[in-house]
């Protein structure tokens, strides 16, 4: 339902998308699926932001981010920070927006995962807007501050922020740059792409095994390999990867 809601949003039906994602969230809360809850909250925040309710969107992004940090889901952490970047920009807080961008950028680089192509144009527009509002020098300074911050620090960085030298050094060491990973550079095999697509479409391991005429053990082996190659650790993160890279 969450995936269908996202597709519905991209088709321009914000109301329908919200209903689908809210239903998804309710089911996942009932199942106590923490990863799923975080995923639904993130997509609900996207819908809410697209409708101009930035206060509620910020609350949803923060709730999703808190769970993502509990689960150490760095992909979702970066995505939530980028969502908050847009909210901050739309709410007239360009300096905070630039810091959020810097933190998210560092996390994505550490994962070797660039902004998905489908979202890149929108983020480039936001960066251009930040350049205009702040000026290039101020933007670069705020972005640099964000790159030296943890998610917790940047959430509180809506005004001037001063980091100790020791904290800055720790954050800088954490921001190592890696080569961006795409489906091709990740070297997924044809069969792994098939498995990933089916997982993204919501099929269970048993259903994947039946469709591909392989054992569940083989499916699990493929998933282990896929997770390793695309730097994710959960099914929902793998699904987001498939969607972001247009594999489904």
């Amino acid at each position: 339902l969450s995936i269908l809601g996202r597709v519905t949003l991209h088709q321009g039906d914000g109301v329908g998308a919200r209903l689908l994602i809210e239903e998804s969230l309710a089911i996942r809360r009932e199942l106590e699926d923490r990863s799923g809850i975080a995923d639904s909250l993130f997509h609900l925040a996207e819908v809410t932001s697209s409708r101009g309710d930035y206060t509620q969107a910020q609350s949803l992004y923060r709730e999703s981010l808190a769970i993502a940090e509990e689960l150490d889901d760095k992909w979702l952490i970066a995505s939530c920070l980028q969502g908050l970047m847009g909210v901050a920009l739309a709410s007239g807080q360009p300096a905070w927006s630039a810091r959020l961008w810097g933190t998210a950028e560092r996390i994505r680089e550490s994962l070797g995962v660039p902004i998905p192509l489908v979202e890149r144009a929108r983020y480039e527009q936001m960066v251009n807007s930040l350049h205009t509002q702040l000026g290039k020098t101020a933007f670069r300074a705020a972005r640099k501050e964000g790159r030296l911050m943890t998610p917790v620090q940047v959430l509180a960085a809506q005004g001037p922020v001063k980091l100790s030298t020791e904290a800055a050094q720790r954050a800088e060491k954490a921001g190592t740059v890696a080569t961006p990973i795409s489906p091709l550079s990740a070297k997924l095999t044809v069969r792994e792409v098939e498995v990933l697509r089916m997982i993204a479409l919501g099929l269970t391991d048993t259903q994947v095994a039946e469709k591909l005429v392989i054992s569940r053990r083989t499916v699990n082996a493929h998933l282990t390999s896929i997770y390793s190659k695309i730097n994710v650790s959960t099914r929902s993160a793998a699904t987001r990867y498939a969607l972001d890279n247009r594999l489904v």
Side-chain angles (χ1 to χ4, degrees), residues 3 193-205 208 219 223 226-227 234-236 238-239 242 248:
I3 296 171
V193 171
E194 287 180 324
V195 171
L196 180 55
R197 281 177 177 151
M198 291 182 183
I199 292 300
L201 290 171
L203 275 67
T204 65
D205 290 359
V208 173
V219 173
L223 287 174
I226 291 167
Y227 287 5
T234 65
R235 205 178 190 91
S236 62
T239 297
V248 292

Side-chain angles (χ1 to χ4, degrees), residues 95 98-99 135-148:
R99 292 187 185 101
K136 288 187 177 181
T137 300
F139 168 74
R140 288 171 181 168
R143 177 187 177 191
K144 183 177 180 180
E145 287 179 4
R147 289 183 65 87
L148 298 177

Side-chain angles (χ1 to χ4, degrees), residues 166-185:
E166 181 180 353
Q169 289 174 343
R170 285 200 305 269
E172 191 169 18
K173 287 179 181 178
T176 54
V177 179
T179 303
I181 294 177
S182 68
L184 292 178
S185 63

Side-chain angles (χ1 to χ4, degrees), residues 114-219:
I115 293 175
L117 289 174
V118 69
E119 298 177 9
R120 197 163 296 168
R122 180 163 64 96
Y123 284 106
E124 287 177 352
Q125 289 177 352
M126 286 195 285
V127 169
N128 289 336
S129 179
L130 288 172
H131 278 160
T132 300
Q133 293 187 42
L134 293 172
K136 288 187 177 181
T137 300
F139 168 74
R140 288 171 181 168
R143 177 187 177 191
K144 183 177 180 180
E145 287 179 4
R147 289 183 65 87
L148 298 177
M149 294 178 186
T150 66
V152 172
Q153 288 171 330
V154 78
L155 287 180
Q158 298 185 38
V161 175
K162 294 182 180 180
L163 291 176
S164 67
T165 302
E166 181 180 353
Q169 289 174 343
R170 285 200 305 269
E172 191 169 18
K173 287 179 181 178
T176 54
V177 179
T179 303
I181 294 177
S182 68
L184 292 178
S185 63
K187 296 183 180 178
L188 294 179
T189 66
V190 173
R191 178 48 60 88
E192 286 171 347
V193 171
E194 287 180 324
V195 171
L196 180 55
R197 281 177 177 151
M198 291 182 183
I199 292 300
L201 290 171
L203 275 67
T204 65
D205 290 359
T206 299
Q207 290 171 326
V208 173
E210 290 174 352
K211 283 186 173 293
L212 296 180
V213 195
I214 57 178
S215 68
R216 283 189 60 187
R217 184 174 180 179
T218 301
V219 173

